[in-house]
């Protein structure tokens, strides 16, 4: 991905608006909210002013005039420059064409799933499903409000959001079902992690080494210290597995 002079996605939205017509920041904020864009692009008034200032500093937008509405303070109206148009088109093309790895909070939680007992995880995933159902209902409401009056072109991101939520909900329900009915692979080990002394280190390369494998024959560790041989691994696991994850 290209390193942008202004990388906040809100800057892309500002450029998009100013390519339609010149606006002052309050009008930008109002227009984005009227179009429900804050569901896809994080929007607050303070960050909007910061983004506008940065776009001006890099020559992507420029002040065109000041206006006053009644007793309100003067407002600066901005317009996009030719450099701003080029930046918008290049940035948007990149976002649409190039998949980017996004580190979601849920994915991080799944990667550490054994840290909680299966029964507790099931309860937590049930709560997640309820929240996903609420989010799905909200996106459906927005779609119903937008679809009759606007072409799909103007609410396509909400169609994507709805599909993502439906997939997430279906996958999470399936996972809950597998844990509940006992078909989830590794469930016995997972449950044992929270009932035995100390869970095995799943990243330990010696965990699944066959008894006749000679890779554990070197008993000298880093700095010359003695370390367990592969033959010692089962005894080490059996003797010390109580409750380490219970304190997680």
């Amino acid at each position: 991905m290209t390193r942008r002079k202004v990388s906040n996605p809100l800057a892309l939205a500002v450029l998009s608006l100013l390519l339609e017509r010149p606006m002052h920041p309050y009008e930008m904020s109002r227009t984005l909210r009227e179009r429900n864009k804050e569901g896809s692009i994080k929007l607050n008034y303070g960050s909007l002013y910061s983004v506008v200032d940065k776009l001006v500093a890099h020559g992507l937008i420029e002040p065109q005039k000041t206006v006053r509405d009644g007793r309100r303070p003067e407002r600066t109206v901005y317009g996009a420059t030719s450099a701003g148009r080029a930046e918008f088109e290049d940035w948007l093309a990149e976002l649409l064409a190039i998949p980017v790895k996004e580190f979601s909070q849920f994915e991080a939680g799944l990667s550490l799933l054994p840290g909680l007992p299966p029964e507790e995880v099931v309860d937590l995933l049930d709560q997640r499903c309820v929240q996903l159902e609420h989010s799905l209902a909200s996106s459906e409401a927005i779609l119903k409000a937008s679809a009759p009056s606007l072409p799909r072109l103007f609410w396509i991101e909400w169609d994507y959001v709805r599909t993502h939520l439906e997939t997430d909900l279906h996958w999470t329900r399936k996972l809950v079902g597998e844990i509940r009915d006992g078909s989830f692979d590794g469930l016995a080990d997972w449950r044992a992690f929270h009932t035995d002394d100390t869970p095995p280190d799943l990243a330990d390369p010696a965990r699944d080494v066959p008894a006749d494998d000679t890779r554990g024959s070197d008993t000298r560790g880093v700095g010359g210290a003695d370390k367990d041989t592969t033959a010692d691994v089962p005894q080490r696991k059996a003797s010390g597995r109580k409750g380490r994850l219970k304190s997680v």
Side-chain angles (χ1 to χ4, degrees):
M1 297 291 284
T2 304
R3 186 178 180 85
R4 301 287 167 186
K5 294 176 181 178
V6 187
S7 58
N8 187 336
L10 182 56
L12 188 67
V14 168
L15 288 170
S16 175
L17 292 175
L18 297 185
L19 288 171
E20 293 181 25
R21 66 179 187 277
M23 295 184 188
H24 52 70
Y26 178 78
E27 186 179 7
M28 297 176 202
S29 175
R30 185 184 65 205
T31 303
L32 289 171
R33 287 193 166 91
E34 287 173 351
R35 296 177 181 178
N36 291 312
K37 299 304 180 186
E38 74 274 16
S40 303
I41 300 171
K42 189 175 182 180
L43 171 63
N44 65 64
Y45 208 54
S47 61
L48 177 60
Y49 269 104
S50 175
V51 161
V52 167
D53 289 343
K54 289 178 181 178
L55 289 171
V56 171
H58 289 290
L60 301 176
I61 67 174
E62 61 187 4
Q64 292 193 342
K65 61 182 178 179
T66 57
V67 296
R68 183 187 294 274
D69 184 8
R71 293 187 170 185
R72 293 178 178 174
E74 285 188 342
R75 289 172 173 160
T76 303
V77 175
Y78 297 90
T81 64
S82 57
R85 176 180 289 277
E87 176 73 0
F88 170 79
E89 292 175 352
D90 183 67
W91 192 355
L92 180 58
E94 186 178 78
L95 290 181
L96 294 175
I98 303 175
V100 175
K101 169 63 179 175
E102 296 176 297
F103 294 88
S104 76
Q105 298 294 310
F106 186 49
E107 184 179 344
L110 289 172
S111 73
L112 303 171
L113 200 64
L116 294 173
E119 292 73 21
E120 183 176 350
V121 166
V122 164
D123 290 340
L124 294 169
L125 291 177
D126 277 337
Q127 294 176 38
R128 176 179 175 82
C129 286
V130 171
Q131 294 298 320
L132 287 171
E133 289 166 353
H134 289 327
S135 297
L136 189 55
S138 297
S139 65
E140 289 284 3
I142 291 171
L143 285 170
K144 286 180 181 178
S146 302
S149 57
L150 292 172
R152 186 166 178 249
L153 174 64
F154 297 105
W155 47 266
I156 185 68
E157 72 272 23
W158 285 100
D159 192 17
Y160 173 81
V161 168
R162 176 181 60 183
T163 302
H164 179 80
L165 288 169
E166 287 173 342
T167 301
D168 193 340
L169 181 58
H170 173 77
W171 188 90
T172 306
R173 283 174 171 166
K174 183 173 180 291
L175 175 58
V176 169
E178 290 174 353
I179 298 172
R180 279 206 169 109
D181 67 18
S183 62
F184 185 76
D185 187 34
L187 183 60
D189 282 340
W190 182 7
R191 190 167 278 121
F193 295 169
H194 296 273
T195 55
D196 294 351
D197 282 350
T198 304
D201 182 358
L202 298 183
D204 183 355
R207 178 173 183 261
D208 295 317
V209 174
D212 59 350
D213 195 307
T214 59
R215 284 177 294 176
S217 59
D218 181 7
T219 61
R220 304 296 293 175
V222 176
D226 288 341
K227 65 179 181 180
D228 293 334
T229 64
T230 302
D232 293 329
V233 171
Q235 288 82 359
R236 184 175 68 247
K237 292 175 186 172
S239 63
R241 288 179 59 178
K242 283 202 176 126
R244 182 175 296 173
L245 285 181
K246 292 179 182 178
S247 62
V248 172

